[in-house]
Amino acid sequence: MGEPGAIDSADAGRLRVTRTIEVPELTDEEVRAAVLAALAHGGRARLRVDVVFVDDPSLAEMHERFWGDPSVTDVLAFDYTESDDGAEHDPQAEIYVSVDRARVVAKERDESVRAELRLYLVHGSLHLCGLDDHEEGVRAEMRAAEQLVLGGLA
């Protein structure tokens, strides 16, 4: 058995990290730890996920294209296991994180950028597990899950 929080090679192979923008605040191992902890919490520990760090304009464009909303946002998650084409997708899901948004919001909240990025990673991962925060009634469940997962990270 490895160190607590350590990521074995099988886990590392299920999660790829792409940086289209510099993200010195988090290592790939920290990214994997946050995503894998949230997926495990949500019962989807075996999901193959790509995490892509982008800037505000890129994520706003995706937000408009897929949700019809041109505003900036923090994170978008796409679950391809629910597609109607019946094909096996690799990755099975993607999480897009706006590094620009994390930096702005972290400053507003007097929080570290690292903490804000980890929140977005956990939040996006929990969306892939079926949790939602768009309606008042289910938002508390999402927030509680976020805090539980984040509290377990080093």
Side-chain angles (χ1 to χ4, degrees):
M1 181 177 281
E3 292 290 317
I7 298 167
D8 68 30
S9 59
D11 288 338
R14 288 197 328 272
L15 195 138
R16 292 181 295 217
V17 179
T18 302
R19 298 164 186 263
T20 66
I21 183 173
E22 285 192 43
V23 191
E25 295 89 353
L26 284 178
T27 66
D28 285 0
E29 184 170 300
E30 290 173 310
V31 172
R32 287 185 183 97
V35 171
L36 294 173
L39 292 175
H41 175 84
R44 295 195 79 189
R46 306 306 304 167
L47 193 67
R48 290 186 314 275
V49 180
D50 280 3
V51 173
V52 184
F53 289 101
V54 297
D55 58 17
D56 269 352
S58 298
L59 203 57
E61 188 274 324
M62 292 175 74
H63 197 207
E64 180 172 27
R65 183 172 5 135
F66 296 106
W67 277 269
D69 182 349
S71 65
V72 294
T73 191
D74 48 12
V75 63
L76 294 177
F78 298 91
D79 186 346
Y80 304 123
T81 64
E82 299 175 355
S83 68
D84 295 330
D85 64 10
E88 177 70 19
H89 295 272
D90 188 22
Q92 295 171 309
E94 292 177 311
I95 300 170
Y96 288 83
V97 176
S98 173
V99 177
D100 294 342
R101 186 81 348 238
R103 290 177 178 147
V104 168
V105 174
K107 187 172 184 176
E108 291 171 355
R109 293 181 179 170
D110 196 29
E111 188 69 65
S112 74
V113 176
R114 178 178 180 266
E116 195 68 19
L117 287 167
R118 289 189 346 165
L119 171 62
Y120 295 174
L121 291 165
V122 168
H123 184 87
S125 300
L126 291 172
H127 273 305
L128 295 174
C129 297
L131 274 73
D132 194 8
D133 64 331
H134 295 110
E135 294 179 21
E136 194 65 39
V138 294
R139 189 170 294 132
E141 182 182 358
M142 171 68 93
R143 297 297 175 257
E146 288 169 352
Q147 292 309 307
L148 187 65
V149 172
L150 289 167
L153 298 175

